[in-house]
């Protein structure tokens, strides 16, 4: 019994444990539901999954199922980011416990009952519990925003801090997290309001199916705005998190954080104003420039830091020594690299499409344009997932050769896959329908090989973490001990602060 | 670093180790007689049916529709007749789409243009001579300067590489028209109510397997010959017959139509205001099974032609 309760304690009461559970949950969902599409269908795996699990796949409801699947995965990824935030950002211990507890119950309810409703018959009690889960995730977001309030006295920064601050000492990085969390809540509301009209005039759709319909309803536009900004905010969230991981500070930090705040506000307003403003896209472009510039400053800082740390013992390092230092730790090099790579496979594609829309993309059949659109956001979502993996592997203490192999497999595998996917999605630029088969075959091979490598690595990593749970003094145990220690210290600090407050109150009353 | 270079080399080798795949335009399959009459028409009676993915009850008047897609042979005959009657000419045609202009040798004729409203992203389809088919790789007929002749292996395959103008002209030449989307969908799914109170998702029912229709990676006879993307199948191929050991499902629609899912996308007759993209229905041998669901559509400008796009005609009479 103690064996179980110790593990349960670790998995549901520590940041690492909670993150591990969430990654495992996403892995299981991805593993099972990944068999329902792509090459798995061709290999007959889908039929086995459907039969074994008793799935009920009604053709007319496919789009609805997919939307619930996306939401389930998105809720879990948001939970992971929230766990990271409550660990790395100063906040009261009880706030951390409340936020993590609420979001955990929320995403698990949303995932279990959302998938139950979507894929195993339509039990509407399940749908209700799916909504309860999402509401809890939203509620934890409110708690997070309250906890992050950057104007609290205890979170003000001193004048000599190397981190971005206002003249009055407000921590601008904390403000960036706060703005991102608040924007996420507003954007979630946007989707929820539109979603509440479901079956009451609003019909389920995938955004990529609507691109060529000239007159879209306000509800359709609200959902298109919602899905774009939610993914963007998740990307902003992980950028800020890895900034903390790399201890982003100094001049670049002082520039990057205010820019990120402005960018987040602008891009959120732009995406949501799609509903009523014909020039909303221009606002989005301006916001994107700010956000991407801020991310660029992070990349410059983190790579410069890696080079400096890696060549600290060399008096005048040459180019190859600097490169060696930069590439020495793929887990720390990876986040910045994936952000740079994203420009070629996501932002670049998006900008190119916007510029050449009538000249190229609207000349292609809808299906080709649709593939490009679907491809670019799948790639962004997957790149975010790889950055989460880099960070979590580092937190898990993966070291030495394993660290290098893991890091480079993720970078090379994902870059091959997403590079090939980008070429595949833009294939009409290079080949006609008649000549496409060799290109399709080769790009598919790269996609399958690259993604396969990353997924196998993930499976090995998760397998190792699972086996480790059965070891008495495994990694989990050390992580839990360390976290308990830091929590205890935080609790003491909290108590001290509280004591000081009470003493001050008593003093004031006794006067 | 050495290991990274080694891994990259291995991946490169793996990619280049694969044999080059043939282009669809470069292959010639054996002639297969399906026994289905491509001149046959079916009547779709007037009445309500469930339209679209969300099953909107919609009324459609009685109409006639071709049992199969128009074949390469039928189209070659049309071109020869229309060239002789002066309705079609052979030469160079200008194509315009998305501010881009290019030229193609082929056969074409006059089109009266679409109404233009100047809406955002709206393409203006002006009156003028338009390209029906281009004399280029992938066309399954030959032209010797005097007459068009269907390639023997492909004469009962659906006519492909035909623009919307070319499809429209064919139907109009025989006093018929391209089907409207609502008509096509009714002809495909009928009025039956199936799983969870939805209309039929596929022309033949609710399930789909490899031998039901010609779609991407359906492992049909032609994919076995030419790789995953495969090729078109002769019209009416999926009629329950067994060809060279390959057993097909009888994938006929409630009104007796063949190929209402897979094989080739079919041009629709509707002109959608404020954009003028022409829709296509049915999915094709290039697309996954989800595109074979009766409500799914693809679209392109009327100048577009491709090896996976064909058509059939409809008529009010």
């Amino acid at each position: 019994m103690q064996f179980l309760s110790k593990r349960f304690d670790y998995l549901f009461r520590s940041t690492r444990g909670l993150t591990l559970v969430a990654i495992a949950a996403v892995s299981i969902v991805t593993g099972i539901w990944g068999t329902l599409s792509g090459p798995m269908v061709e290999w007959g795996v889908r039929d086995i999954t459907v039969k074994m699990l008793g799935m009920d796949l009604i053709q007319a409801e496919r789009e609805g199922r997919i939307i619930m699947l996306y939401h389930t995965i998105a809720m879990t990824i948001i939970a992971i980011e929230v766990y990271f935030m409550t660990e790395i950002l100063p906040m009261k211990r009880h706030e951390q416990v409340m936020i993590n507890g609420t979001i955990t119950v929320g995403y698990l309810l949303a995932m279990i009952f959302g998938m139950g409703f979507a894929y195993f018959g339509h039990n509407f009690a399940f749908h209700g519990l799916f909504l309860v889960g999402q509401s809890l995730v939203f509620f934890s977001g409110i708690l997070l925003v309250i906890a992050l309030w950057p104007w609290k006295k205890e979170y003000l920064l001193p004048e000599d801090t190397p981190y971005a601050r206002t003249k009055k000492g407000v921590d601008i990085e904390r403000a960036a997290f706060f703005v991102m969390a608040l924007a996420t809540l507003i954007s979630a509301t946007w989707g929820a309001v539109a979603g509440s009209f479901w079956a009451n005039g609003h019909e389920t759709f995938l955004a990529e199916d609507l691109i060529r319909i000239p007159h879209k309803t306000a509800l359709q536009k609200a959902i298109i705005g919602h899905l774009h900004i939610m993914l963007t905010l998740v990307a902003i969230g992980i950028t800020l998190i890895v900034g903390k991981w790399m201890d982003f500070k100094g001049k670049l930090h002082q520039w990057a954080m205010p820019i990120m705040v402005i960018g987040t506000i602008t891009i959120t307003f732009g995406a949501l104003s799609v509903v009523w403003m014909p020039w909303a896209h221009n606002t989005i472009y301006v916001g994107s420039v700010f956000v991407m510039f801020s991310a660029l400053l992070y990349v410059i800082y983190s790579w410069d830091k890696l080079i400096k740390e890696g060549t600290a013992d060399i008096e005048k390092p040459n180019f190859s020594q600097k490169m060696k230092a930069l590439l020495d730790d793929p887990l720390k090099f990876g986040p910045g690299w994936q952000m740079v790579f994203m420009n070629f496979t996501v932002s670049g594609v998006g900008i190119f499409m916007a510029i050449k829309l009538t000249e190229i993309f609207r000349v292609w059949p809808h299906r080709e344009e649709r593939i490009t659109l679907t491809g670019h956001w799948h790639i962004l979502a997957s790149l975010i997932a790889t950055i989460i993996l880099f960070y979590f592997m580092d937190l898990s203490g993966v070291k030495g050769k394993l660290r290098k192999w893991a890091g480079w497999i993720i970078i090379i595998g994902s870059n091959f896959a997403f590079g090939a996917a980008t070429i595949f999605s833009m294939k009409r630029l290079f080949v006609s329908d008649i000549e496409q088969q060799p290109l399709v075959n080769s790009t598919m091979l790269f996609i399958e090989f690259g993604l396969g490598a990353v997924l196998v690595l993930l499976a090995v990593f998760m397998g190792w973490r699972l086996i480790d749970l059965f070891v008495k003094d495994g990694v989990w145990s050390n992580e839990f001990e360390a976290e308990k220690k830091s929590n205890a210290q935080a609790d003491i600090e909290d108590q001290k602060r509280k004591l000081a407050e009470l003493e001050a109150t008593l003093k004031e009353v006794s006067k | 670093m050495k290991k990274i270079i080694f891994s990259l080399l291995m991946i490169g080798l793996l990619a280049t180790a694969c044999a080059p795949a043939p282009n669809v335009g470069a292959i010639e399959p054996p002639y297969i007689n399906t026994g289905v009459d491509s001149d046959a028409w079916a009547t779709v009676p007037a009445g309500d049916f469930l339209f679209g993915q969300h099953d909107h009850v919609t009324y459609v008047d009685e109409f006639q529709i071709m049992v199969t897609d128009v074949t390469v042979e039928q189209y070659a005959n049309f071109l020869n007749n229309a060239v002789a009657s002066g309705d079609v000419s052979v030469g160079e045609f200008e194509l315009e789409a998305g501010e881009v202009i290019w030229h193609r040798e082929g056969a074409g004729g006059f089109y009266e243009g679409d109404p233009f409203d100047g809406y955002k992203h709206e393409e203006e389809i002006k009156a003028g001579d338009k390209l029906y088919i281009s004399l280029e790789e992938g066309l399954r007929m030959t032209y010797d300067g005097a007459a068009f002749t269907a390639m023997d292996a492909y004469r009962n395959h659906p006519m492909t590489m035909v623009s919307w103008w070319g499809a429209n002209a064919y139907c109009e030449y025989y006093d018929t028209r391209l089907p409207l989307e609502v008509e096509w969908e009714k002809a495909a799914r009928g009025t039956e109510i199936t799983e969870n109170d939805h209309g039929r998702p596929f022309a033949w029912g609710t399930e789909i397997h490899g031998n039901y229709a010609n779609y991407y990676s359906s492992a049909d006879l032609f994919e076995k010959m030419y790789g995953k993307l495969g090729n078109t199948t002769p019209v009416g191929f999926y009629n329950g017959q067994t060809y060279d050991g390959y057993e097909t499902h009888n994938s006929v629609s409630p009104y007796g139509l063949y190929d209402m899912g897979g094989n080739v996308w079919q041009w629709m007759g509707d002109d959608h205001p404020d954009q003028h993209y022409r829709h296509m229905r049915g999915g094709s041998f290039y697309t996954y099974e989800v595109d074979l669901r009766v409500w799914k559509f693809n679209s392109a400008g009327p100048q577009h032609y491709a090896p996976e796009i064909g058509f059939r005609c409809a008529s009010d009479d």
Side-chain angles (χ1 to χ4, degrees):
Chain A
M1 197 60 194
Q2 209 188 12
F3 175 89
L4 280 179
S5 69
K6 270 190 174 177
R7 271 73 180 173
F8 189 84
D9 255 9
Y10 163 72
L11 289 173
F12 290 97
R13 292 183 59 198
S14 73
T15 303
R16 309 289 153 85
L18 286 167
T19 311
L20 187 61
V21 172
I23 293 177
V26 172
S27 303
I28 291 166
V29 168
T30 311
I32 295 172
W33 273 266
T35 63
L36 302 184
S37 60
M40 293 293 182
V41 177
E42 296 161 25
W43 300 336
V45 184
R46 179 188 58 184
D47 294 342
I48 298 168
T49 306
V50 170
K51 214 173 250 178
M52 270 178 61
L53 299 179
M55 287 181 170
D56 189 7
L57 304 183
I58 290 166
Q59 292 289 344
E61 293 159 8
R62 178 177 179 269
E63 282 69 10
R65 285 195 298 273
I66 289 177
I67 289 164
M68 291 189 86
L69 177 62
Y70 290 162
H71 277 83
T72 291
I73 294 174
M75 296 284 150
T76 317
I77 296 297
I78 286 172
I80 293 171
E81 290 199 356
V82 167
Y83 298 146
F84 290 155
M85 280 186 257
T86 58
E87 190 189 34
I88 57 180
L89 296 167
M91 63 179 62
K92 293 190 179 77
R93 174 78 182 125
H94 74 269
E95 288 173 332
Q96 185 194 32
V97 172
M98 283 292 288
I99 293 165
N100 287 354
T102 312
I103 202 164
T104 304
V105 176
Y107 92 78
L108 284 173
L109 277 178
M111 177 177 275
I112 294 165
F113 293 104
M115 292 293 86
F117 175 80
Y119 288 85
F120 300 94
H122 296 331
N123 182 334
F124 271 85
F126 284 11
H127 194 269
L129 288 166
F130 170 65
L131 295 181
V132 169
Q134 291 193 103
S135 305
L136 285 174
V137 173
F138 186 85
F139 182 61
S140 76
I142 295 174
L143 295 178
L144 179 69
V145 166
I146 294 167
L148 288 177
W149 189 254
W151 291 275
K152 276 182 202 160
K153 232 195 285 177
E154 61 262 41
Y155 303 134
L156 298 181
L157 296 174
E159 258 182 56
D160 58 348
T161 181
Y163 303 100
R165 73 187 278 278
T166 64
K167 277 185 183 163
K168 288 186 176 171
V170 174
D171 178 348
I172 305 179
E173 185 172 56
R174 191 179 187 88
F177 274 106
F178 170 80
V179 166
M180 179 272 298
L182 185 62
T184 306
L185 286 178
I186 296 168
S187 309
T189 311
W190 219 251
V193 169
S196 67
F197 282 85
W198 181 60
N200 191 20
H202 170 63
E203 292 174 337
T204 309
F205 68 93
L206 294 181
E208 53 267 27
D209 287 334
L210 290 193
I211 42 178
R212 291 191 177 182
I213 295 189
H215 306 287
K216 298 175 187 72
T217 66
L219 291 173
Q220 288 170 336
K221 287 178 187 172
I223 286 183
I224 292 166
H226 160 76
L227 65 95
H228 278 88
I229 194 58
M230 290 305 272
L231 186 56
T232 307
L233 290 167
V234 169
I236 291 172
I238 197 66
T239 307
L240 291 169
I241 289 165
V242 294
K244 288 292 278 184
W245 176 29
M246 292 296 288
D247 193 20
F248 189 14
K249 60 186 175 190
K251 266 272 170 278
L252 293 180
H253 189 260
Q254 284 153 10
W255 277 97
M257 289 305 123
I259 290 172
M260 188 61 108
V261 171
I262 296 166
T264 306
I265 295 169
T266 313
I267 200 168
T268 306
F269 176 75
L272 301 184
S273 66
V274 161
V275 176
W276 75 90
M277 269 192 347
W279 45 273
H281 274 90
N282 295 329
T283 319
I284 295 169
Y285 296 148
V286 173
S288 308
V289 169
F290 276 90
V291 169
M292 284 161 67
F293 185 62
S294 179
L296 175 68
L297 295 178
Y298 159 77
V299 174
I300 294 169
Y301 172 83
S302 68
W303 287 4
D304 183 57
K305 186 179 177 181
L306 288 174
I307 292 169
K308 279 183 181 150
E309 284 177 357
T311 57
D313 52 349
I314 305 168
E315 201 179 328
K316 273 193 177 170
N318 58 31
F319 179 74
S320 68
Q321 285 166 325
K322 283 181 180 174
M323 287 306 289
K324 191 175 176 296
L326 176 65
L327 303 176
D328 189 52
D329 182 356
L331 293 191
K332 287 198 166 168
F333 166 74
W337 170 254
Q338 299 292 66
M339 286 179 202
V340 172
F341 182 72
M342 183 204 72
N343 286 295
F344 300 108
T345 52
V346 183
S347 323
V349 172
I351 293 164
F352 184 61
M353 281 190 82
I355 294 169
K356 297 281 182 185
L357 187 72
T358 50
E359 214 171 298
I360 296 178
F361 295 92
R362 289 287 154 94
V363 180
W364 295 354
H366 175 189
R367 192 173 169 274
E368 299 295 337
E369 191 183 350
R370 190 181 186 282
I371 290 170
T372 313
L373 289 168
T374 322
H376 95 284
W377 79 256
H378 271 85
I379 291 171
L380 177 57
S382 309
L383 285 172
I384 293 169
T386 63
I387 296 175
I388 289 175
L389 268 183
F390 291 134
Y391 183 43
F392 189 65
M393 283 182 166
D394 182 70
L395 290 181
S396 298
V398 179
K399 287 191 175 75
K401 280 193 174 177
L402 269 177
R403 185 181 176 97
K404 292 199 176 177
W405 272 98
W408 284 117
I409 285 174
I410 296 176
I411 294 172
I412 295 170
S414 64
N415 286 194
F416 264 114
F418 302 147
T422 305
I423 294 170
F424 172 81
S425 72
M426 310 276 275
K427 60 186 175 296
R428 282 295 161 268
L429 288 176
F430 323 111
V431 290
S432 71
D433 311 42
I434 284 283
E435 300 155 327
Q436 74 173 23
Q437 191 151 330
L439 183 81
V440 168
N441 290 357
S442 342
T443 49
M444 283 290 180
L445 191 74
F446 275 101
I447 294 170
E448 285 163 21
F449 185 82
L451 284 183
V454 175
L455 291 176
V456 167
L457 175 84
L458 176 63
V460 170
F461 175 69
M462 294 308 286
W464 166 61
R465 292 298 320 238
L466 181 67
I467 293 165
D468 178 71
L469 283 174
F470 292 92
V471 179
K472 195 180 170 203
D473 295 317
V475 173
W476 70 275
S477 173
N478 298 333
E479 282 178 355
F480 199 23
E481 294 304 316
E483 196 162 326
K484 270 202 273 193
K485 196 176 159 190
S486 75
N487 286 343
Q489 280 164 347
D491 279 343
I492 291 169
E493 289 303 314
D494 256 6
Q495 298 293 342
K496 275 185 189 167
R497 194 165 44 235
K498 191 78 189 164
L499 187 67
E501 277 172 24
L502 289 171
E503 278 172 354
T505 311
L506 280 176
K507 217 180 230 177
E508 204 179 311
V509 170
S510 61
K511 271 180 192 170
Chain B
M1 199 62 192
K2 276 178 194 163
K3 279 170 190 160
I4 295 168
I5 293 167
F6 174 74
S7 307
L8 286 172
L9 276 174
M10 288 305 290
I11 293 165
L13 278 173
L14 186 69
T16 49
C18 301
N23 292 329
V24 171
I27 54 183
E28 200 172 323
Y31 176 79
I32 294 172
N33 184 5
T34 62
V36 173
D37 179 10
S38 56
D39 288 321
W41 286 66
T43 301
V44 178
D48 289 335
F49 85 110
L50 299 178
F51 176 62
Q53 183 167 14
H54 301 290
D55 302 306
H56 295 287
V57 177
T58 306
Y59 178 83
V60 180
D61 280 329
E62 182 181 291
F63 66 98
Q64 318 288 317
I65 188 164
M66 288 176 73
V67 165
T68 71
D69 295 327
V70 170
T71 63
V72 179
E73 188 163 48
Q74 285 172 318
Y75 203 86
N77 292 339
F78 150 69
L79 286 176
N80 291 330
N81 293 336
V83 168
S85 63
D87 292 300
V88 167
S89 59
V90 179
E92 188 177 84
F93 289 83
E94 185 180 276
L95 289 124
E96 185 182 359
E99 301 155 23
V100 184
I101 293 173
W102 69 102
H103 295 86
R104 285 282 180 275
E105 284 286 328
F110 182 76
Y111 178 68
E112 69 270 22
D114 294 338
F116 182 67
D117 300 309
Y119 194 75
K120 190 181 175 188
H121 297 311
E122 181 179 357
E123 286 282 319
E124 187 174 4
I125 310 295
K126 297 171 195 155
D129 281 340
K130 307 292 182 188
L131 182 80
Y132 295 170
I133 56 150
S134 172
L135 297 170
E136 62 182 86
E137 190 192 358
L139 186 68
R140 277 130 180 218
M141 61 177 74
T142 54
Y143 179 63
D144 60 8
F148 291 90
T149 310
M151 289 177 184
D152 201 42
Y154 284 115
R155 63 180 194 269
N156 65 345
H157 280 240
M159 176 62 195
T160 54
M161 301 291 283
V162 57
S163 68
W164 181 88
W165 291 311
N168 184 58
Y170 176 95
C171 295
E172 285 189 347
Y173 189 79
Y174 294 112
D175 293 328
T176 61
R177 57 180 172 78
L178 288 168
L180 300 174
E181 288 192 76
V182 70
E183 292 172 337
W184 187 94
E185 194 173 313
K186 183 174 182 185
R189 81 192 310 198
T191 55
E192 187 192 357
I193 294 171
T194 61
E195 44 185 22
N196 266 20
D197 296 333
H198 297 296
R200 276 189 181 193
F202 299 110
W204 50 86
T206 56
E207 287 197 21
I208 183 163
H209 300 286
N211 64 336
Y212 278 44
N214 185 5
Y215 58 96
Y216 179 73
S217 204
S218 59
D220 61 68
L221 209 53
F222 292 89
E223 282 188 15
K224 282 177 183 158
M225 291 176 198
Y226 306 113
K228 252 193 208 175
L229 285 180
N231 197 354
T232 53
T233 38
V235 296
F237 182 77
Y238 293 88
N239 58 8
Q241 276 195 59
T242 301
Y243 308 93
D244 197 18
Y246 183 79
E247 191 183 335
T248 63
H249 178 261
N250 186 16
S251 301
V252 73
S253 86
Y255 300 110
L257 275 59
Y258 291 97
D259 296 315
M260 293 298 271
N263 209 12
V264 290
W265 288 103
Q266 297 164 45
W267 284 117
M268 296 292 107
D270 315 61
D271 170 31
H272 295 272
D274 298 336
Q275 49 149 289
H276 309 300
Y277 293 114
R278 280 1 188 224
H279 285 197
M280 303 160 230
R281 293 290 193 114
S284 80
F285 71 96
Y286 266 179
T287 64
Y288 278 111
E289 63 193 51
V290 291
D291 282 336
L292 274 59
R293 294 177 300 167
V294 290
W295 54 81
K296 287 290 286 181
F297 65 88
N298 191 0
S299 72
Q303 81 293 335
H304 185 72
Y305 52 86
E308 74 273 23
I309 303 173
F311 69 101
R312 70 180 73 207
C313 304
S315 167
D316 298 323
D317 302 324

